[in-house]
Amino acid sequence: MRMIIPRSLDEAVEAAAAHPEATILAGGTDLMVSANLHGLRPEAVIGVRRVPELAEWEGRFIGAGVTYARMERGPIAALAQAARTVGSPQIRNAGTLGGNLGTASPAGDALPILAALDADIVLRAAGGERSVRWDDFIVGPKKNSREPGELIIGARLPDDIPDRQAFAKIGFRNAMVIAVASCCLFRAEDGATTVALGSVGPTPMRPRAAEAMISAERSPTPAALAEFQRLVSEEVSPITDHRSTEAYRRTAAGVLARRLLERVLG
Amino acid sequence: MIHLTVNGDPHSAEPGPAESLLSMLRNRLGLAGSKDACEQGECGSCSVILDGELVCSCLVLAADTDGSEIRTVEGIADGDDLSRVQEALLAEGGVQCGFCTPGFVVAATHLLDTNPDPSDDDVREALAGNICRCTGYGGIMRALTALREDS
Ligand SMILES: Cc1cc2nc3c(=O)[nH]c(=O)nc-3n(C[C@H](O)[C@H](O)[C@H](O)COP(=O)(O)OP(=O)(O)OC[C@H]3O[C@@H](n4cnc5c(N)ncnc54)[C@H](O)[C@@H]3O)c2cc1C
Ligand code: FES
Ligand code: FES
């Protein structure tokens, strides 16, 4: 196995261009599970843990190397809430935003935040940089549109992020769980509401009809809340697996979205 | 060949492909204090401090530790004298089979080094990634609570 440890972003981009087949390694919390338990044996690895530029977080641009431990203390409440639910302190100290995007699991806890904010994912290769919207980046369960030789540099969020925001997830117990269903919700002063859900479809998803319906309600009545919950449950497309059933996830998605809306409406 | 510092001492090793830091510590550097129970980040028995951060050594690629500083459970006792975390765990029945103990010792030491006066919630949170199947956690919590009141 060939190991390359770049010390700057330029070095990392050069390494990725010279070894497009190499596996990019950040915190290792997904990759090393594959190595230990599923026999993953990469030919070449580019370890980006020490690239200082990737760990930067400037305003609305969050570097791929920012860890959950930092997101937990960061200024975006819904992202901080999501980061706090990830694994354990040991996992949050190592795991990164770029790793969550790289793995592109339907249960990735940072992903609903990016989806609800229509974030762009920024990639860089020797030829230059490109931005792709979250839904053109995460294209299927554990599938993304990164090209060989490209590095995920980070995620760019919009300038205006509503203060009313929340994240919650359902799992079997308090610590160390992968979401059975997760939800993130933002509501602007004028009522415009965006919602994204995780673990209830092949990728993070937006219940567009529910969003449109509740965005038109300035002061939602109980009937409007119930309709919002019903629409969210109707729009998700969960599967049954070892963690939960399709029916439970469908119900949970609606309940979670409604509770978060009630929470932000205070 | 990689070079790293473990508990203040320089070490060199030739890790295998996809070998974890945990495996390198135990099988190449003769430091078997960090325990191997799950190899998937779930149990915390392999916890070490890597460049100042508490992590699971089973999830660190050994080849990616070239130039790093690592502190393991072997670096916590003061010569033949146990550290105050180790003493407190013994005194309060926080050790039974002892398999989880090295991970708890490293995590608790790191907590007290970075937050000398943690609340009960801080302690619970800091140890949430360490699993013990024997003690029921009561003894472990009592041990750390005692240390906090001491300080
Ligand atoms: C015990 C445990 C509990 C967990 N709990 C949760 C949880 O609650 N919620 C959750 O969402 N996840 C959880 N995870 C999964 C994991 O921690 C996250 O997905 C994390 O974000 C992965 O980040 P990493 O830096 O460790 O990624 P790595 O394992 O280093 O990499 C993951 C993937 O991303 C790619 N990659 C990483 N960085 C880049 C980059 N800059 N450019 C291009 N590709 C890149 C890698 O090539 C690889 O394919 C858990 C994992 C464990 C072991
Ligand atoms: S052996 Fe590393 S967390 Fe269990
Ligand atoms: S004392 Fe046996 S696992 Fe904790």
Side-chain angles (χ1 to χ4, degrees):
Chain A
M1 188 190 82
R2 187 190 170 110
M3 181 79 210
I4 305 163
I5 305 182
R7 303 281 170 163
S8 70
L9 188 52
D10 285 346
E11 275 179 37
V13 170
E14 257 169 53
H19 304 277
E21 77 297 348
T23 299
I24 314 289
L25 171 78
T29 59
D30 279 320
L31 274 180
M32 287 303 291
V33 173
S34 303
N36 293 342
L37 303 185
H38 310 297
L40 175 79
R41 293 288 175 275
E43 286 287 311
V45 174
I46 304 175
V48 296
R49 179 165 70 83
R50 299 176 187 75
V51 173
E53 294 93 330
L54 290 180
E56 283 171 12
W57 181 344
E58 276 183 29
R60 295 304 185 212
F61 186 82
I62 310 177
V66 170
T67 61
Y68 294 102
R70 285 192 44 217
M71 291 181 244
E72 254 182 281
R73 299 188 300 266
I76 300 166
L79 184 60
Q81 287 162 16
R84 259 184 75 80
T85 73
V86 171
S88 62
Q90 287 90 328
I91 302 299
R92 299 198 289 276
N93 287 334
T96 64
L97 182 67
N100 219 217
L101 283 163
T103 296
S105 157
D109 283 314
L111 307 180
I113 319 289
L114 303 182
L117 290 172
D118 270 331
D120 282 332
I121 312 310
V122 185
L123 298 136
R124 190 180 292 183
E129 208 169 273
R130 68 182 174 115
S131 285
V132 271
R133 223 173 71 150
W134 67 276
D135 46 354
D136 289 326
F137 183 74
I138 304 165
V139 293
K142 305 211 166 178
K143 283 202 185 72
N144 65 47
S145 57
R146 184 181 79 92
E147 302 280 344
E150 273 187 327
L151 285 178
I152 304 167
I153 299 300
R156 189 182 311 283
L157 310 182
D159 289 334
D160 283 331
I161 298 183
D163 292 338
R164 290 180 177 175
Q165 48 176 275
F167 171 91
K169 83 182 189 195
I170 297 181
F172 312 132
R173 61 188 179 105
N174 270 339
M176 299 281 257
V177 287
I178 293 185
V180 160
S182 64
C183 183
C184 166
L185 180 145
F186 289 86
R187 185 164 169 99
E189 286 305 316
D190 66 0
T193 303
T194 58
V195 183
L197 297 126
S199 282
V200 291
T203 65
M205 64 84 60
R206 296 268 297 270
R208 304 279 177 183
E211 287 181 342
M213 177 259 138
I214 203 69
S215 294
E217 299 280 338
R218 292 305 295 263
S219 330
T221 58
L225 292 173
E227 177 61 3
F228 172 65
Q229 174 176 343
R230 191 188 68 77
L231 284 173
V232 170
S233 285
E234 201 174 86
E235 282 182 86
V236 296
S237 45
I239 54 165
T240 293
D241 66 6
H242 62 290
R243 284 197 193 91
S244 185
T245 60
E246 188 256 334
Y248 179 83
R249 285 191 162 109
R250 199 177 277 290
T251 305
V255 170
L256 268 179
R258 178 197 176 135
R259 283 197 193 148
L260 292 183
L261 179 62
E262 286 170 340
R263 197 189 291 171
V264 304
L265 290 172
Chain B
M1 185 67 85
I2 65 164
H3 307 280
L4 66 166
T5 307
V6 185
N7 303 323
D9 300 327
H11 286 270
S12 303
E14 186 80 65
E19 180 169 6
S20 68
L21 171 60
L22 174 62
S23 162
M24 183 175 76
L25 289 169
R26 291 177 56 84
N27 303 323
R28 297 186 197 272
L29 305 182
L31 295 167
S34 308
K35 293 291 174 270
D36 181 346
C38 74
E39 297 207 298
Q40 50 181 317
E42 299 271 356
C43 75
S45 69
C46 66
S47 299
V48 303
I49 300 165
L50 166 68
D51 295 330
E53 304 280 5
L54 182 74
V55 298
C56 294
S57 61
C58 68
L59 299 184
V60 175
L61 181 68
D64 193 30
T65 61
D66 194 19
S68 295
E69 290 229 12
I70 287 153
R71 190 170 177 206
T72 69
V73 69
E74 286 91 347
I76 284 179
D78 183 9
D80 286 342
D81 294 328
L82 296 182
S83 76
R84 60 193 196 112
V85 169
Q86 290 167 319
E87 288 286 4
L89 283 169
L90 269 182
E92 291 294 343
V95 178
Q96 286 186 27
C97 81
F99 204 82
C100 68
T101 310
F104 272 102
V105 166
V106 173
T109 303
H110 187 254
L111 169 68
L112 293 170
D113 285 351
T114 49
N115 179 2
D117 190 21
S119 66
D120 280 2
D121 280 350
D122 292 339
V123 173
R124 279 202 190 86
E125 169 123 23
L127 300 181
N130 292 74
I131 291 179
C132 175
R133 57 166 202 183
C134 306
T135 68
Y137 305 99
I140 294 170
M141 276 305 290
R142 280 196 304 280
L144 286 156
T145 309
L147 282 179
R148 193 186 61 207
E149 282 162 2
D150 276 4
S151 61

